[in-house]
Amino acid sequence: MRDQPNIIITGTPGVGKTTHCEMLAQNTGLTHLSINQISKEQDIRETYDEELKTWIVDEDKVVDAVMDKLEVGGYLVDWHACDMFPERLIDLVVVLRVDSTLLYDRLKARDYPEVKLQENLDCEIMEVLLDEARENYAEEVVVELRSDTTEEIEANIERIEAWIKQWKEDHANKA
Ligand code: ADP
């Protein structure tokens, strides 16, 4: 039995996952688990896609690398995919969404090559991550939140903090 929840913060690159995870980690004591960082540190990157200028990671190895942590609980999983984590270990999936013009500007600022930028814009417009979350987790576990403005970040953080508090109360009562 976990006494702390695991939350996936997902969405298209540039949507605000890292920003949300860092703020939440600071405010709640949950740990920011950046799959990007873990895949670099543990060298579980598989192949380099020259056209997209990006690493493809081995998802099985990602799961192996984080399973022990998720079993304990208390993690904010930061990744642009959510379908590889076992459903029983995930208590909330937050799918961040952003206006495509704003996303274009954010990715342009990262100097993404045009083809990578376009692929990510399509991913956001086609709601790829939202569909993935809904296909893999129960309806009540998936929450879609806007991340266009800093005011929205603050509102999202407050909402997720309240959810964590409630989760802990509910699980303390059961223990
Ligand atoms: P991700 O981790 O999803 O790739 P980041 O958290 O790195 O996204 O955010 C990408 C950029 O967009 C950063 O410069 C961040 O400050 C900015 N940003 C993210 N969310 C918002 C928001 N809701 N309002 C304004 N700027 C944002």
Side-chain angles (χ1 to χ4, degrees):
M1 278 296 281
R2 287 177 285 113
D3 58 8
Q4 295 217 75
N6 291 314
I7 303 175
I8 296 179
I9 309 283
T10 191
T12 310
V15 82
K17 299 181 292 297
T18 307
T19 311
H20 279 75
C21 285
E22 282 174 355
M23 288 175 77
L24 280 168
Q26 213 165 35
N27 293 2
T28 66
L30 266 65
T31 304
H32 180 191
L33 194 62
S34 163
I35 302 296
N36 220 359
Q37 205 175 323
I38 287 177
S39 61
K40 273 184 211 158
E41 284 167 5
Q42 306 200 10
D43 202 20
I44 46 185
R45 297 176 295 183
E46 246 186 347
T47 46
Y48 189 70
D49 184 321
E50 276 297 337
E51 191 184 24
L52 292 176
K53 302 262 178 275
T54 194
W55 281 94
I56 312 292
V57 303
D58 181 331
E59 292 195 343
D60 290 338
K61 289 187 184 162
V62 166
V63 175
D64 285 350
V66 300
M67 269 304 273
D68 287 356
K69 291 184 165 65
L70 295 180
E71 296 276 5
V72 175
Y75 287 91
L76 301 156
V77 181
D78 171 357
W79 189 229
H80 56 255
C82 62
D83 60 352
M84 69 272 229
F85 303 104
E87 205 181 342
R88 70 181 174 87
L89 294 178
I90 302 300
D91 305 294
L92 182 70
V93 180
V94 176
V95 184
L96 297 176
R97 303 299 312 280
V98 66
D99 169 82
S100 49
T101 314
L102 292 172
L103 182 61
Y104 180 92
D105 293 342
R106 289 183 200 168
L107 297 180
K108 199 81 188 161
R110 281 184 179 172
D111 281 335
Y112 270 26
E114 198 56 36
V115 60
K116 185 170 176 179
L117 205 150
Q118 201 53 54
E119 193 186 77
N120 282 303
L121 282 180
D122 288 349
C123 173
E124 185 56 26
I125 292 161
M126 305 286 287
E127 304 193 331
V128 171
L129 269 309
L130 186 61
D131 282 354
E132 184 175 309
R134 287 183 173 153
E135 275 166 25
N136 288 283
Y137 297 91
E139 197 182 331
E140 62 274 17
V141 169
V142 179
V143 185
E144 178 187 10
L145 296 176
R146 302 283 327 163
S147 176
D148 293 334
T149 64
T150 49
E151 289 76 16
E152 282 171 343
I153 299 180
E154 278 160 30
N156 294 343
I157 299 296
E158 256 179 49
R159 194 169 157 184
I160 299 166
E161 276 179 36
W163 182 93
I164 294 169
K165 191 163 171 265
Q166 188 62 53
W167 190 97
K168 285 186 179 170
E169 279 172 21
D170 293 349
H171 289 73
N173 292 342
K174 275 185 199 156

